[in-house]
Amino acid sequence: GSAIPRITNFDSFRGFGVTKKFFRTHRELDLEAGTIIRASGDHIHGLKGNQLLTENLIREQAPAGHENTRSDSLYVFDDLYPCEVYFLGRKTSTVYEVAFDPNDMIHTADIDLFNDVAREPGNAEHAGRLIKAYWDRQTRTGRKVEYLVKQARIVCTIWRPSDYLKVRANLTGGRS
């Protein structure tokens, strides 16, 4: 895979000088534009099975200085698709467009690396290579790149819980 480029072109975007759009599925509903959001706690307690095992493996293999990166960060994406997928799994969430100060970005990586480890976490050699790629900011598909940030500002609401059926139809092409 190729390295995920660092964002370097931050020219005039909605008060933070960012030129691309970012999205977040967030459990707080009806937040106003301009609201600052931060990680509300470690998400590890909501994980089960292979996802929990993978999260623990990634944290155990974190490079120096990143031991708490995944537990202390707010996760945002530069593609709406992963947020819509997570939204469907959390019917009481809202999808927001967000912006963040480039100095608040802690890490970025392809979430599919996490997903690939979760498919077979018992394969230590395979998992080790994928986790190293995760911490080295490698990408495979480029569609599910996560940005771990200290905080973000709400720009606008994209989807509310009442939009669940519309989002599902959009992602499934109308199939149930």
Side-chain angles (χ1 to χ4, degrees):
S2 59
I4 296 173
R6 285 194 173 267
I7 302 168
T8 57
N9 184 12
F10 290 97
D11 302 311
S12 76
F13 178 75
R14 313 227 182 170
F16 277 131
V18 180
T19 59
K20 63 190 307 184
K21 292 184 177 187
F22 296 93
F23 306 95
R24 165 141 178 99
T25 302
H26 200 70
R27 70 172 156 237
E28 292 181 57
L29 309 176
D30 300 320
L31 294 175
E32 294 182 22
T35 301
I36 299 294
I37 56 174
R38 294 176 183 83
S40 58
D42 195 345
H43 70 284
I44 199 166
H45 307 294
L47 300 176
K48 295 180 180 144
N50 284 354
Q51 285 191 336
L52 177 60
L53 182 57
T54 299
E55 185 67 31
N56 282 321
L57 288 171
I58 287 177
R59 290 179 187 200
E60 289 167 8
Q61 296 178 42
H66 284 281
E67 296 84 356
N68 297 316
T69 293
R70 290 189 53 83
S71 62
D72 294 346
S73 297
L74 189 70
Y75 292 66
V76 302
F77 297 87
D78 63 359
D79 188 320
L80 187 56
Y81 173 76
C83 285
E84 290 177 330
V85 170
Y86 296 141
F87 173 80
L88 292 180
R90 298 176 178 99
K91 295 180 184 178
T92 59
S93 293
T94 301
V95 176
Y96 294 101
E97 180 184 331
V98 299
F100 61 89
D101 184 314
N103 294 318
D104 285 337
M105 188 172 74
I106 301 165
H107 185 69
T108 185
D110 189 333
I111 194 63
D112 276 338
L113 293 167
F114 177 100
N115 294 336
D116 288 348
V117 173
R119 283 187 195 93
E120 49 181 314
N123 183 340
E125 184 179 327
H126 178 70
R129 278 194 313 273
L130 293 172
I131 291 168
K132 181 179 183 326
Y134 175 89
W135 287 114
D136 287 346
R137 300 175 180 228
Q138 298 294 307
T139 184
R140 292 173 140 193
T141 66
R143 185 149 193 212
K144 294 183 186 173
V145 176
E146 65 182 9
Y147 296 80
L148 284 63
V149 300
K150 295 176 189 174
Q151 62 183 9
R153 176 177 290 161
I154 300 293
V155 174
C156 65
T157 300
I158 304 293
W159 299 115
R160 291 183 167 78
S162 60
D163 297 317
Y164 178 85
L165 293 176
K166 188 185 317 179
V167 174
R168 188 176 75 184
N170 184 45
L171 288 180
T172 63
R175 298 179 311 275
S176 297

